[in-house]
Amino acid sequence: MSILFIVLIAATVNLDNFLLGMNLGTRGQTLTITSNLIIGCFTGACAFLFTTAACVLSGSFIKYANCFGALLMIMFGVYSLISEILEKQEIADLSIMTLKDTCLLGMILAINCIPPSFSAGMAGLNPISMGIFSALFSFLSMFFSNKLGKALIHDRFFRFLTPLSSMLLILIGIGEFFL
């Protein structure tokens, strides 16, 4: 039963990765396998560390980590929205993410998994499994959503998808302040 909870937590934590991957895809950015592995490793390592540390840290830490992750998500959404408005179809210049961008994105997304990982540790779930499944779901959600976003980039109906996904990132960040 605990493996089911781990899988559900890992999938839930990475739903925003799906939206972010689609956002990047609609902007013409390609997430390479290496970039995706780096992002997944950040998420898996963070999930492992905070699940392991759950018995040491106090419950008030969750509130601050969640607020910090929400703030970063809002800032990334605003940045994406402003970039989309300013760049207006300069998609070819964005093709592949740099290592610096990949690491920054990996850290931002990893911060988002702190509260659920901490809670999983408090519930006595296995830290190694939590780390592995979080990394796996991060990789899969970013991979498939980026491909989907790139496929939809040329569809006229979905041209509004980039600003919409940026606004959804902002809303997710705002929502995390209240959850």
Side-chain angles (χ1 to χ4, degrees):
M1 189 65 149
S2 67
I3 196 73
L4 177 63
F5 287 132
I6 291 171
V7 168
L8 290 174
I9 291 169
T12 303
V13 165
N14 287 297
L15 288 176
D16 55 345
N17 291 28
F18 187 85
L19 183 62
L20 190 60
M22 185 175 281
N23 180 291
L24 294 172
T26 59
R27 295 178 70 205
Q29 289 183 300
T30 300
L31 283 174
T32 63
I33 298 292
T34 304
S35 292
N36 228 342
L37 283 173
I38 290 170
I39 292 168
C41 285
F42 272 107
T43 301
C46 187
F48 170 76
L49 289 173
F50 281 91
T51 304
T52 302
C55 61
V56 177
L57 300 174
S58 69
S60 63
F61 181 74
I62 292 174
K63 180 177 137 187
Y64 297 116
N66 198 31
C67 288
F68 186 64
L71 183 62
L72 288 174
M73 190 66 66
I74 291 168
M75 288 172 29
F76 190 81
V78 169
Y79 171 78
S80 295
L81 189 59
I82 291 171
S83 294
E84 175 65 22
I85 292 168
L86 295 177
E87 291 171 3
K88 296 274 191 201
Q89 305 305 323
E90 292 181 23
I91 292 172
D93 297 330
L94 301 171
S95 61
I96 297 178
M97 292 180 65
T98 66
L99 179 61
K100 179 183 169 186
D101 292 338
T102 301
C103 289
L104 180 63
L105 183 59
M107 286 187 283
I108 289 170
L109 293 171
I111 288 170
N112 194 41
C113 79
I114 291 172
S117 298
F118 190 82
S119 298
M122 294 296 281
L125 299 179
N126 185 319
I128 294 172
S129 298
M130 189 67 197
I132 290 171
F133 279 104
S134 293
L136 178 66
F137 277 95
S138 173
F139 180 85
L140 292 174
S141 64
M142 293 291 284
F143 178 79
F144 287 114
S145 65
N146 187 250
K147 298 289 185 203
L148 180 61
K150 287 186 76 67
L152 297 176
I153 196 170
H154 299 293
D155 192 329
R156 289 178 47 160
F157 179 72
F158 290 100
R159 68 177 177 217
F160 67 91
L161 200 55
T162 300
L164 179 64
S165 63
S166 297
M167 288 186 278
L168 285 173
L169 282 173
I170 294 168
L171 290 175
I172 289 171
I174 291 170
E176 286 188 22
F177 275 117
F178 301 106
L179 297 177

